[in-house]
Amino acid sequence: RRIWEWRHAGGAHLYNRNPKAIPYDEHYGWFTRALENPDVHFLTLIKAGYPVGYVRLDQGNKTAAVSLCISGLERGNGLGSAALRIAQHTAGQLGIDLLQVEVHSENECSLRLFRSMGYEEIASEGSFKRLQLKITARGDINDHQT
């Protein structure tokens, strides 16, 4: 339920490919299927013992799509960059060479975050920009910082 709430907090869902508010029952069905899928990796962000967001990797062959969501109360507190460093480390451990993300062109905070982490824009389609990051190191989390 928290993930569903985070997705809708402050109108964040308006920047998704599907900008409509999703009924909780639909979300629950999707989430249950995603948890059962071995190619979907959820990493929960914990701060002071409480979940405050997640980063998800939808793994393909050597590529993964990145999805990031931070609790409305925690946005703007630097958790996004920490979450992406952990996601990059996890991707390296999974043998993923390339991370990609689609960001709404009006979502300036997310664009700034991904660019600051070394993601480069490779395409633009409608209201969305596609960015990617090549994973070059497989070691410590600090190896992935830009």
Side-chain angles (χ1 to χ4, degrees):
R1 186 159 193 96
R2 277 192 184 122
I3 289 175
W4 178 78
E5 291 169 352
W6 295 336
R7 182 185 187 275
H8 293 87
H13 65 285
L14 298 174
Y15 293 127
N16 291 341
R17 276 280 182 195
N18 178 1
K20 295 180 182 177
I22 303 292
Y24 178 71
D25 290 345
E26 278 183 45
H27 166 80
Y28 183 80
W30 167 84
F31 187 70
T32 301
R33 289 187 301 278
L35 288 177
E36 294 170 354
N37 186 337
D39 294 329
V40 177
H41 309 279
F42 277 96
L43 306 168
T44 304
L45 309 173
I46 306 292
K47 179 180 176 184
Y50 295 98
V52 293
Y54 75 88
V55 63
R56 187 181 83 233
L57 300 175
D58 293 339
Q59 187 175 359
N61 185 14
K62 293 276 190 182
T63 303
V66 177
S67 178
L68 174 66
C69 186
I70 307 293
S71 160
L73 299 174
E74 294 293 337
R75 291 181 189 147
N77 291 333
L79 293 174
S81 57
L84 290 178
R85 280 194 297 276
I86 292 167
Q88 290 164 207
H89 173 74
T90 300
Q93 297 299 305
L94 292 168
I96 294 168
D97 295 329
L98 189 67
L99 294 175
Q100 293 187 332
V101 63
E102 290 187 351
V103 181
H104 196 284
S105 59
E106 293 178 10
N107 191 344
E108 295 174 14
C109 291
S110 286
L111 286 170
R112 202 169 30 252
L113 168 65
F114 282 99
R115 288 175 176 150
S116 76
M117 296 299 294
Y119 285 71
E120 297 178 353
E121 185 174 334
I122 58 167
S124 186
E125 179 185 318
S127 299
F128 287 86
K129 296 180 182 292
R130 183 175 304 136
L131 297 93
Q132 71 179 22
L133 176 74
K134 293 181 182 176
I135 303 294
T136 56
R138 302 270 185 243
D140 185 68
I141 289 175
N142 293 326
D143 290 344
H144 301 289
Q145 293 180 3
T146 55

